[in-house]
Amino acid sequence: GVKLYTPNDGTDVNGNAQIVVPYGPLTFRALPPVGTTLVALQEDITITGPRAYGTITMRQGYALTGSIVRSGATPLPISNCEILATNMLTGESMFLANKRTNTLGAFNILLPFGLYQLELLPALGSPYAAREVFGIPVIDYNYSLGLVPMDPGVALSGTVRGPTGLAVAGADIDIYTAHGHKVYTPNDNTTPT
């Protein structure tokens, strides 16, 4: 996750760029100029020798906005909430350059044409339960979700062990409502320790 020093890493007037990078696994990221409505690109790559990317086409993006708030009569803003977007038609996880809500709970993300699922992940220690929103259309215009409520929540913690007392890594913890609906609980697998 450490950004490498790559001098002269901007494109010229013809869109050309040439940089030198070390060998090994890297994350390639192309960010459009500030103020444009092009969608940023990100790709994990492994460098084993010289590599020519050829022409990379950035997609047109459309603003998806909204404000994440506490559910109930007083919609208080939820700041620092992480937003993950997945194209439901292609399965592509979108790279979002600005994926957190501000102090007023507002977000403004750029997405290309598609049908999206959003995962709303409150900051660690936040008293709110994570939430998924399905079927958000992004066609050829900006779209506002308005106020997006999140329910208050509490942390559940514990340790899963086998009969010999050793920790059980990778156990999937699921929570269901009284009506039998599975609750969205991201990162709900046990760790090795």
Side-chain angles (χ1 to χ4, degrees), residues 103-163:
T103 55
L104 300 176
F107 65 89
N108 184 343
I109 58 177
L110 279 178
L111 295 170
F113 177 88
L115 186 67
Y116 289 91
Q117 164 192 346
L118 296 184
E119 295 176 70
L120 310 177
L121 308 173
L124 189 62
S126 175
Y128 299 98
R131 176 170 180 204
E132 289 179 298
V133 181
F134 294 96
I136 301 167
V138 174
I139 303 175
D140 60 355
Y141 50 85
N142 298 332
Y143 186 71
S144 176
L145 293 176
L147 298 180
V148 181
M150 290 182 77
D151 292 329
V154 296
L156 295 178
S157 61
T159 303
V160 178
R161 297 198 183 279

Side-chain angles (χ1 to χ4, degrees), residues 53-141:
Y53 259 96
T55 300
I56 299 170
T57 302
M58 289 186 153
R59 294 176 284 182
Q60 176 63 49
Y62 303 96
L64 178 65
T65 61
S67 293
I68 299 177
V69 297
R70 181 182 74 175
S71 63
T74 308
L76 298 175
I78 301 175
S79 63
N80 202 28
C81 184
E82 183 179 8
I83 300 167
L84 304 177
T86 303
N87 187 322
M88 295 174 67
L89 303 174
T90 65
E92 177 184 7
S93 294
M94 303 304 301
F95 169 71
L96 303 175
N98 185 17
K99 64 179 182 175
R100 295 200 177 270
T101 58
N102 65 18
T103 55
L104 300 176
F107 65 89
N108 184 343
I109 58 177
L110 279 178
L111 295 170
F113 177 88
L115 186 67
Y116 289 91
Q117 164 192 346
L118 296 184
E119 295 176 70
L120 310 177
L121 308 173
L124 189 62
S126 175
Y128 299 98
R131 176 170 180 204
E132 289 179 298
V133 181
F134 294 96
I136 301 167
V138 174
I139 303 175
D140 60 355
Y141 50 85

